[in-house]
């Protein structure tokens, strides 16, 4: 049976609390400590942090969650990912630098990332800033300029692992229960077999299914899921 691709992305508003760690508890705990668990005056570690793992392991979720947590504490974040065509210069007002999708950076993005990294670690103004970065590959294997690649591997490096099927099933059932949905094993199995298996997409699919079930006043079943897809 051919797997269907559903391009619906991550659920909005990722937080550290909504990240399902699985084997990634050490990385999550490291980020919680670095953020300061919500304390406005929490010290930032100047030691860079790099997360790597295959697509769907939660890298972007964690980077967005950390960025939002720091903003809620009054911080200003320098953010760069592969979609930013014209990176800005380093801003002394930034309290942290976040670099996502580094394995996809073009020449200009690599130059900007290197400049941001150096200015964050050895700033002309203020204390060193934290650099948090993520990519699909370990630092040594990144297709980047040597000086940037070596710096990304300087500090704390964590590999993120995908949730296994049992963990995905448990997360889907937990989220469904929180929404008041009776999600059968058959529906869970159908979702895992036919759609993108990364957790962010599955959670977004569940949200769409919940809304559609409320609109149609029908129970969540495989036929309802198929009907929802036919109407999109």
């Amino acid at each position: 049976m051919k797997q269907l691709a559903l391009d619906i992305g991550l659920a909005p508003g990722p937080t550290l609390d909504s990240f399902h760690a699985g084997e990634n508890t050490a990385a999550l705990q490291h980020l919680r400590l670095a953020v300061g668990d919500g304390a406005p005056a929490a010290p930032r570690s100047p030691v860079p942090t790099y997360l790597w793992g295959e697509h769907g392991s939660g890298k972007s979720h964690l980077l967005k969650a950390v960025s939002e947590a720091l903003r809620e504490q009054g911080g200003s974040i320098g953010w760069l990912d592969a979609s930013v065509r014209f990176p800005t210069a380093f801003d002394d007002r930034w309290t942290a630098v976040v670099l996502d999708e580094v394995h996809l950076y073009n020449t200009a993005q690599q130059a900007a990332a290197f400049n941001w990294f150096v200015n964050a670690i050895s700033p002309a103004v203020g204390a060193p800033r934290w650099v948090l970065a993520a990519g699909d590959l370990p630092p040594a294997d990144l297709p980047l300029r040597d000086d940037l690649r070596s710096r990304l591997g300087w500090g704390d490096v964590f590999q993120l692992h995908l949730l296994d099927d049992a963990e995905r099933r448990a997360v889907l059932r937990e989220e469904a229960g929180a929404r008041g949905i009776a999600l059968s094993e058959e529906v869970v199995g159908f979702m895992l077999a036919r759609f993108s298996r990364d957790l962010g997409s599955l959670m977004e699919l569940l949200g769409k299914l919940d809304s559609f079930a409320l609109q149609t006043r029908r129970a969540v079943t495989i036929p309802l899921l198929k009907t929802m897809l036919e109407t999109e």
Side-chain angles (χ1 to χ4, degrees), residues 100-124:
D100 197 13
E101 304 175 323
V102 299
H103 59 287
L104 298 176
Y105 282 7
N106 60 29
T107 301
Q109 291 163 342
Q110 291 180 50
F114 177 75
N115 177 269
W116 288 15
F117 196 109
V118 171
N119 278 283
I121 298 300
S122 303

Side-chain angles (χ1 to χ4, degrees), residues 126-209:
R129 278 75 156 176
W130 184 32
V131 178
L132 174 61
D136 282 3
L137 301 169
D141 296 336
L142 289 168
L144 303 174
R145 48 191 278 183
D146 290 341
D147 50 7
L148 176 58
R149 182 173 59 245
S150 63
R151 280 167 173 78
L152 290 173
W154 269 2
D156 297 302
V157 177
F158 295 90
Q159 180 181 5
L160 297 185
H161 302 275
L162 292 171
L163 298 181
D164 60 28
D165 277 352
E167 291 169 329
R168 288 190 186 96
R169 287 176 179 272
V171 170
L172 282 170
R173 287 195 298 268
E174 178 184 336
E175 178 64 17
R179 293 171 176 268
I181 302 173
L183 201 63
S184 70
E185 282 297 318
E186 290 75 15
V187 173
V188 172
F190 186 85
M191 293 170 68
L192 291 174
R194 299 291 298 274
F195 301 99
S196 177
R197 298 172 67 83
D198 73 88
L199 189 58
S201 293
L202 288 170
M203 299 297 276
E204 182 72 7
L205 175 61
L206 180 63
K208 287 177 175 284
L209 188 56

Side-chain angles (χ1 to χ4, degrees), residues 15-144:
T15 66
L16 293 177
D17 287 340
S18 66
F19 181 73
H20 299 274
E23 297 181 52
N24 305 312
T25 302
L28 179 60
Q29 181 63 17
H30 174 84
L31 297 179
R32 287 189 183 280
L33 291 173
V35 168
D37 207 18
R44 306 281 176 248
S45 170
V47 178
T49 300
Y50 180 74
L51 310 177
W52 71 275
E54 60 184 290
H55 176 73
S57 56
K59 302 183 298 296
S60 292
H61 178 116
L62 288 173
L63 266 58
K64 291 175 182 176
V66 165
S67 298
E68 183 58 29
L70 295 178
R71 290 189 186 101
E72 288 177 355
Q73 297 173 23
S76 177
I77 309 301
W79 175 280
L80 178 63
D81 60 44
S83 71
V84 180
R85 296 183 59 190
F86 303 105
T88 63
F90 181 83
D91 191 328
D92 288 328
R93 294 171 295 180
W94 290 343
T95 53
V97 165
V98 180
L99 309 171
D100 197 13
E101 304 175 323
V102 299
H103 59 287
L104 298 176
Y105 282 7
N106 60 29
T107 301
Q109 291 163 342
Q110 291 180 50
F114 177 75
N115 177 269
W116 288 15
F117 196 109
V118 171
N119 278 283
I121 298 300
S122 303
V125 178
R129 278 75 156 176
W130 184 32
V131 178
L132 174 61
D136 282 3
L137 301 169
D141 296 336
L142 289 168
L144 303 174

